[in-house]
Amino acid sequence: MLDEKVFYPGKLDIAWCPGCGNYGILRVLQKALAELGIEPHNLVMVSGIGQAAKLPHYFNCHYFNGLHGRALPAAFAISAVNPNLTVIAESGDGDMYGEGGNHFLHTIRRNPNITNIVHNNMVYGLTKGQASPTSRRGFKTPVQPAGVINEPFNPLAVAIALDASFVARTFIGEAERTKEILKHAIRHPGYALVDILQPCVTFNKVNTYQWFKENTYWLEDHNPLDRRAAFSRAIEESEGGKLPLGIFYINPNKVPYNQAAGLYETDARPLFQRSVDREKLKELLQSYLG
Amino acid sequence: MKTEHKDYSVVLVGPAGMGIQTVEQALVKILKSAGYHIFATKEYMSRVRGGMNSTSLRVGAVPVSAPVERIDLLLALAPGGVDHVSERISSSTVILGEKEQFEQEIPAGIRMIDVSFERIASAIGNKLYSNTVAVGLLGAVFHVEEAILEDFVLKRFAGKEQKVVEENKKAIQAGFEQGLRLVQSGLLDIRLQPDQRVKNQIVMEGIEAVGFGALAGGCNFIGAYPMSPSTGLLTFLAKHGKRFGVVVEQAEDEIAAIHMALGAWYAGARGIASTSGGGFALMTEGFSLAGMLESPLVIHLAQRPGPATGLPTRTEQADLDLALYAGHGEFPRAILAPGNLQQAFELTRHAFDLADRCQVPVFVLTDQYLADTYYNTEPFDLSDIRVNHHFVETQEGYLRFALTESGLSPRGIPGFGRGFVAVDSDEHDEFGRITEDLNFRTRMVEKRRGKEKFLIEQAMAPTVWPSPKKEHLVVCWGSTLPIVQEALEVLGREDAGLVHFLQVFPLHPSTAEILAQARTRICLEGNAGGQFARLLKAYADVEITHRILKYNGAAFTVEEIVRRLKEILK
Ligand SMILES: Cc1ncc(C[n+]2csc(CCOP(=O)(O)OP(=O)(O)O)c2C)c(N)n1
Ligand code: SF4
Ligand SMILES: [Mg+2]
């Protein structure tokens, strides 16, 4: 247990609108990490581009704020080359599910030991209000003036279909429960998805705090080890129900990437501490003598 | 066949799936074991079955490292094989094959010796052994001891079914006997003096030399998406990497691959992004990110003809402009282009150090020809392969992008020291926090661009051969070096030499001076636009007087360069 203040970077000019759900995510994440006792010096936040992706700037930790949609491949590599770091990949719904959609699929398949937090405000905030992959049908924007006609992307169903090792959704209006879910996700060995419903008070006048309150409910009597049940819950809303919140699915049998690849079996040191084995290289060269 | 050659050019032709490449590998090993210098290059179609592929070997009493048009001995393993290389056949070519099959194809006046590889193989059990028969026959023709051949079969098929081993042994023997008959009857009389030096030399493909360079350079991460002709590096590191602690991951696409490499460097590893032109096109956004993050990065870009999918299995040097101008925004880069196996090793190794030292992306620019070509060479010098890491242990208050006098900000990595390592694709302040301070922006642009001076300071000078001060200079870069070298030897003009650039960007400061003293400057390159000639003009103000360009997808040959030089230097 640490004081969450270790994650406060001091006075900064924050680029989020007053009332934005991102503030809540920042605070809750700082609390969760403090409660887990994760040292800022062992924490790397990896993000892409968008309003959500600015979060690492408001955090006292290492960060890799890369390109729009590309947080996951970088996060994967960081966790693969130094297993001692806690790696959190974090961005918006457009970034993770749209521009980075392919990486989302394949990172789940790789199962690296990272936590993937998605600020899901069902809109593109930074570019001022276009539809995102998770925008609901009928959502009107300057680019979709007649309303969105495409099927909304369902990240949870996709993740469960790919047998992701940890899948959860939460709503930032529920700080305490969000914190607990984040703690669970960060502790989880392997890939963990936490989709956080986050109102964008400026560009999404439909999916507001009120809307999320009315259209979500917490999973109870649900067994997260039951993949089929998890999938059913994940598609409830598209069948006319509400959006369930909570831990949908955990597969405790999944082997995290580093272990499956045998990266630290014989040598536990992170790669930066190792050097080239000249003798082995000589041996290999010998094998080319003919 | 006469014995006047210092080397023999042997070509095998057959459809894809027939094992021409297996024969190539076998012959390379066997002939080298027998003490001959050996060179092998293949040309193949972008298909898994059918079509026509060929491999061209040179077996020498002296070192050979360039392709020739001439064919001394042609082994045609299937109909269509002779036609496939008809332009290379001359009156000195001897064709070995089944006479009936090739009646239509044999040009008038060309000697053919009737050898039915297929029938011999079928008698042993399967016509698929034709290629093993061919290996045995060539072994005899080149006076290789039968024991070397049998030893090879045992090694090559170790662990396979007993039947497969036995039948291959029989096939080798049958081929060997057939070869002996040809030698004894005087039909084929090849005499080459083996060279003692060869035994202690290594033999490998260009792409393997790049792989060795990567390992020696401390490379310990590759995420890559397969694409010819770069795939061999991924395979090499997958095969040998585990022993060296290399993380090898097949990425979902090239975009992921380059971001993985950047993530790896950020956390203190040494990543390589390896691809071909189309894949690098996808990487260019990430390449620009390397510029902004001031991240070291090594990119192996193995060229093949474009645009788009182009000719997937052929060669070209047309992605120089791509490497030179890739990435939005302004930031420095280095482009290294190895000319032979030694350079492929050395430059790849050097690329890691240079990238780390100067915090810039560095290209190793190869091509299909270099990647897929084998020959023997001195073992790489591993005496001094210490990897010098250029990251630092951070202190409290560390600033990743600190403005310093030297122009380089010491690079920290997360998990090493008390500072925070913050990097951002947005314009950022010294810490790495996003900023829109436009005055500061100017300083950051200058800081990034300023690193080019380190690249120039450390630039490798072009190689001048055989000696400085020639009236006529052939200017070349990358994989064409040995071909031009041999062409100049054949040409035999005292007043002609070559200048080879193994670092094509930024240019070594001596460039203009070296080139200025010649009367003719002939730029030879494997593209249609004369990209390097343009680069020389733009960055060294050098005027090229003549160009030799080739862009049909095939590598240059010695004879072709000789002809074209003769036209120019009448
Ligand atoms: C390659 C690329 N394309 C487009 C953009 C412009 N862009 C920046 S953020 C963004 C979408 C942001 O939406 P989201 O990821 O949901 O984040 P939010 O701002 O809503 O938190 C877009 C389209 C970009 N930066 N890079
Ligand atoms: S635009 Fe929306 S998501 Fe972005 S800070 Fe403002 S309210 Fe939050
Ligand atoms: Mg969004």
Side-chain angles (χ1 to χ4, degrees):
Chain A
M1 178 92 188
L2 294 167
D3 184 343
E4 66 195 73
K5 293 207 177 73
V6 298
F7 294 109
Y8 294 180
K11 209 172 145 40
L12 288 170
D13 172 20
I14 295 195
W16 291 331
C17 314
C20 172
N22 282 329
Y23 289 100
I25 298 180
L26 175 63
R27 273 192 304 271
V28 164
L29 187 57
Q30 284 167 336
K31 279 204 179 100
L33 288 161
E35 286 180 21
L36 288 172
I38 290 169
E39 287 277 349
H41 287 96
N42 284 328
L43 174 66
V44 180
M45 297 270 272
V46 187
S47 71
I49 294 297
Q51 289 292 79
K54 286 178 183 157
L55 182 139
H57 289 272
Y58 312 140
F59 231 95
N60 220 16
C61 68
H62 302 287
Y63 63 81
F64 183 104
N65 180 180
L67 292 178
H68 189 46
R70 314 301 171 201
L72 287 172
F76 155 73
I78 294 166
S79 78
V81 307
N82 188 344
N84 303 333
L85 300 169
T86 297
V87 181
I88 296 180
E90 167 287 321
S91 264
D93 46 332
D95 181 294
M96 287 287 180
Y97 303 145
E99 188 84 66
N102 200 25
H103 310 312
F104 175 63
L105 301 181
H106 294 278
T107 305
I108 292 175
R109 293 182 49 235
R110 265 175 210 120
N111 197 31
N113 190 17
I114 65 174
T115 308
N116 187 10
I117 298 173
V118 185
H119 306 216
N120 187 353
N121 54 10
M122 303 183 175
V123 73
Y124 282 8
L126 183 60
T127 48
K128 302 200 184 326
Q130 304 81 16
S132 93
T134 55
S135 296
R136 273 29 201 174
R137 282 216 171 86
F139 181 64
K140 290 199 170 93
T141 86
V143 179
Q144 290 82 13
V148 168
I149 54 171
N150 295 347
E151 178 71 32
F153 183 73
N154 187 332
L156 286 89
V158 169
I160 296 163
L162 288 168
D163 202 13
S165 65
F166 182 102
V167 182
R169 175 164 53 214
T170 174
F171 164 45
I172 197 52
E174 302 258 14
E176 200 48 38
R177 291 169 103 161
T178 299
K179 185 187 75 190
E180 289 309 315
I181 287 178
L182 283 173
K183 280 164 68 180
H184 199 146
I186 294 164
R187 268 197 317 258
H188 176 82
Y191 174 87
L193 171 66
V194 184
D195 182 83
I196 307 183
L197 300 173
Q198 168 242 325
C200 166
V201 295
T202 308
F203 294 111
N204 190 336
K205 304 291 188 192
V206 177
N207 311 102
T208 57
Y209 280 97
Q210 195 55 31
W211 187 93
F212 283 121
K213 265 193 199 125
E214 285 164 10
N215 289 279
T216 57
Y217 77 96
W218 285 93
L219 287 171
E220 278 159 24
D221 65 24
H222 165 67
N223 175 9
L225 301 178
D226 183 343
R227 187 164 168 216
R228 282 163 198 271
F231 193 83
S232 301
R233 294 298 185 115
I235 61 171
E236 248 173 41
E237 189 229 7
S238 62
E239 294 175 332
K242 294 184 175 184
L243 290 161
L245 304 174
I247 298 174
F248 282 64
Y249 182 55
I250 298 175
N251 183 342
N253 301 320
K254 284 240 150 168
V255 184
Y257 182 90
N258 288 358
Q259 221 174 308
L263 299 184
Y264 296 93
E265 256 163 28
T266 52
D267 188 344
R269 290 174 302 169
L271 299 194
F272 81 84
Q273 292 177 351
R274 305 187 192 176
S275 52
V276 185
D277 188 331
R278 187 161 66 139
E279 289 314 307
K280 281 187 192 159
L281 202 57
K282 269 188 184 159
E283 229 170 75
L284 183 59
L285 195 60
Q286 287 283 322
S287 72
Y288 282 83
L289 286 173
Chain B
M1 191 183 280
K2 296 276 166 46
T3 55
E4 75 241 28
H5 301 306
K6 284 205 217 77
D7 76 275
Y8 285 86
S9 162
V10 182
V11 175
L12 289 100
V13 210
M18 203 176 176
I20 293 285
Q21 290 185 29
T22 320
V23 179
E24 176 186 272
Q25 284 165 16
L27 286 170
V28 163
K29 291 214 159 143
I30 289 167
L31 292 166
K32 179 187 174 281
S33 303
Y36 298 118
H37 292 274
I38 182 84
F39 166 88
T41 186
K42 48 185 156 288
E43 59 78 30
Y44 53 106
M45 290 185 170
S46 181
R47 52 197 284 178
V48 178
R49 286 278 175 278
M52 268 301 159
N53 295 346
S54 74
T55 180
S56 297
L57 300 162
R58 290 177 74 186
V59 190
V62 293
V64 271
S65 54
V68 289
E69 281 167 10
R70 177 189 102 229
I71 299 179
D72 299 317
L73 201 54
L74 174 64
L75 274 71
L77 298 183
V82 177
D83 275 348
H84 186 67
V85 292
S86 60
E87 283 175 11
R88 298 174 58 186
I89 294 174
S90 74
S91 56
S92 67
T93 307
V94 175
I95 301 175
L96 292 176
E98 189 162 345
K99 228 171 194 151
E100 278 170 29
Q101 283 186 345
F102 295 98
E103 218 92 73
Q104 315 274 307
E105 296 180 38
I106 306 298
I110 303 296
R111 252 182 81 203
M112 169 141 209
I113 301 177
D114 191 10
V115 181
S116 176
F117 297 101
E118 229 179 85
R119 212 172 306 143
I120 300 172
S122 299
I124 289 159
N126 192 332
K127 69 175 186 190
L128 279 180
Y129 296 132
S130 300
N131 51 38
T132 313
V133 174
V135 172
L137 182 140
L138 282 174
V141 168
F142 281 96
H143 314 287
V144 178
E145 287 166 35
E146 201 173 358
I148 292 185
L149 292 167
E150 281 177 15
D151 188 51
F152 174 80
V153 172
L154 288 180
K155 274 200 203 131
R156 171 78 176 72
F157 297 98
K160 292 264 161 63
E161 248 178 274
Q162 189 57 27
K163 181 168 174 274
V164 175
V165 181
E166 278 309 314
E167 291 185 345
N168 270 292
K169 226 163 120 182
K170 278 190 197 145
I172 278 260
Q173 279 161 354
F176 190 80
E177 280 157 25
Q178 179 74 25
L180 277 187
R181 278 195 289 278
L182 299 180
V183 174
Q184 282 155 4
S185 64
L187 280 173
L188 283 179
D189 178 15
I190 286 178
R191 275 176 230 160
L192 271 184
Q193 189 59 42
D195 183 343
Q196 282 310 317
R197 286 177 304 172
V198 173
K199 282 222 163 54
N200 297 322
Q201 294 190 336
I202 53 167
V203 59
M204 66 171 63
E205 270 184 312
I207 200 87
E208 293 172 310
V210 173
F212 258 97
L215 288 177
C219 175
N220 49 19
F221 187 97
I222 181 169
Y225 191 86
M227 185 170 188
S228 297
S230 69
T231 315
L233 181 62
L234 177 59
T235 325
F236 177 90
L237 291 174
K239 185 171 175 192
H240 303 295
K242 183 113 200 188
R243 269 184 286 166
F244 296 90
V246 184
V247 180
V248 179
E249 177 63 7
Q250 185 172 323
E252 56 271 33
D253 53 33
E254 289 82 352
I255 299 173
I258 193 165
H259 286 88
M260 286 179 186
L262 289 170
W265 276 100
Y266 169 75
R270 289 188 159 195
I272 191 165
S274 176
T275 185
S276 182
F280 185 69
L282 289 179
M283 289 185 180
T284 49
E285 195 200 13
F287 179 69
S288 172
L289 178 62
M292 192 52 141
L293 302 188
E294 303 200 37
S295 173
L297 176 66
V298 176
I299 301 126
H300 170 233
L301 173 48
Q303 302 165 96
R304 73 190 212 191
T309 309
L311 290 166
T313 60
R314 312 283 164 172
T315 202
E316 203 159 85
Q317 291 184 300
D319 291 339
L320 175 58
D321 281 351
L322 176 68
L324 186 60
Y325 298 113
H328 52 296
E330 297 170 293
F331 58 95
R333 69 206 59 197
I335 308 174
L336 313 178
N340 55 33
L341 294 178
Q342 294 289 339
Q343 290 180 2
F345 168 75
E346 271 305 332
L347 294 194
T348 309
R349 186 188 151 212
H350 173 64
F352 283 87
D353 187 67
L354 189 65
D356 199 359
R357 195 185 285 274
C358 304
Q359 304 182 19
V360 297
V362 176
F363 284 96
V364 178
L365 192 58
T366 67
D367 52 41
Q368 181 270 333
Y369 167 70
L370 181 83
D372 289 342
T373 296
Y374 286 93
Y375 50 94
N376 55 295
T377 184
E378 286 297 322
F380 302 138
D381 181 4
L382 302 181
S383 57
D384 180 29
I385 58 154
R386 256 169 320 129
V387 168
N388 295 311
H389 286 293
H390 300 286
F391 53 72
V392 296
E393 182 169 2
T394 58
Q395 308 299 328
E396 206 95 36
Y398 170 72
L399 299 172
R400 169 64 190 92
F401 300 100
L403 294 164
T404 62
E405 208 159 294
S406 79
L408 269 183
S409 319
R411 187 171 74 91
I413 58 171
F416 188 42
R418 294 304 300 167
F420 290 117
V421 183
V423 297
D424 185 9
S425 70
D426 294 276
E427 190 57 275
H428 40 257
D429 62 16
E430 290 180 273
F431 176 80
R433 281 210 164 81
I434 190 166
T435 179
E436 294 198 36
D437 175 336
L438 300 191
N439 292 322
F440 198 74
R441 154 77 183 174
T442 308
R443 297 179 71 182
M444 282 311 226
V445 170
E446 287 162 1
K447 162 177 157 59
R448 285 187 291 268
R449 280 174 45 82
K451 290 182 295 182
E452 187 165 277
K453 72 171 179 282
F454 303 116
L455 296 176
I456 294 171
E457 272 165 29
Q458 290 183 51
M460 283 173 289
T463 314
V464 183
W465 184 89
S467 58
K469 305 249 181 301
K470 293 285 180 193
E471 201 176 333
H472 311 292
L473 280 179
V474 182
V475 180
C476 59
W477 61 279
S479 68
T480 53
L481 169 65
I483 322 176
V484 177
Q485 235 162 358
E486 186 169 336
L488 285 174
E489 277 167 0
V490 173
L491 189 71
R493 280 184 64 145
E494 281 295 314
D495 57 355
L498 74 80
V499 180
H500 175 260
F501 287 80
L502 72 177
Q503 170 151 349
V504 291
F505 191 78
L507 293 168
H508 189 268
S510 67
T511 299
E513 202 188 311
I514 290 173
L515 297 178
Q517 45 89 16
R519 188 156 61 85
T520 20
R521 288 176 289 273
I522 307 159
C523 194
L524 177 145
E525 43 186 329
N527 59 54
Q531 296 182 14
F532 187 61
R534 278 202 302 257
L535 187 156
L536 285 172
K537 174 69 190 157
Y539 293 93
D541 199 19
V542 168
E543 291 289 350
I544 287 300
T545 59
H546 302 79
R547 284 167 202 219
I548 300 179
L549 302 172
K550 183 173 186 181
Y551 40 88
N552 70 346
F556 280 103
T557 61
V558 172
E559 294 94 328
E560 175 180 28
I561 297 177
V562 171
R563 276 195 305 274
R564 290 170 78 168
L565 285 178
K566 277 184 179 159
E567 281 163 24
I568 294 170
L569 304 175
K570 278 186 211 73

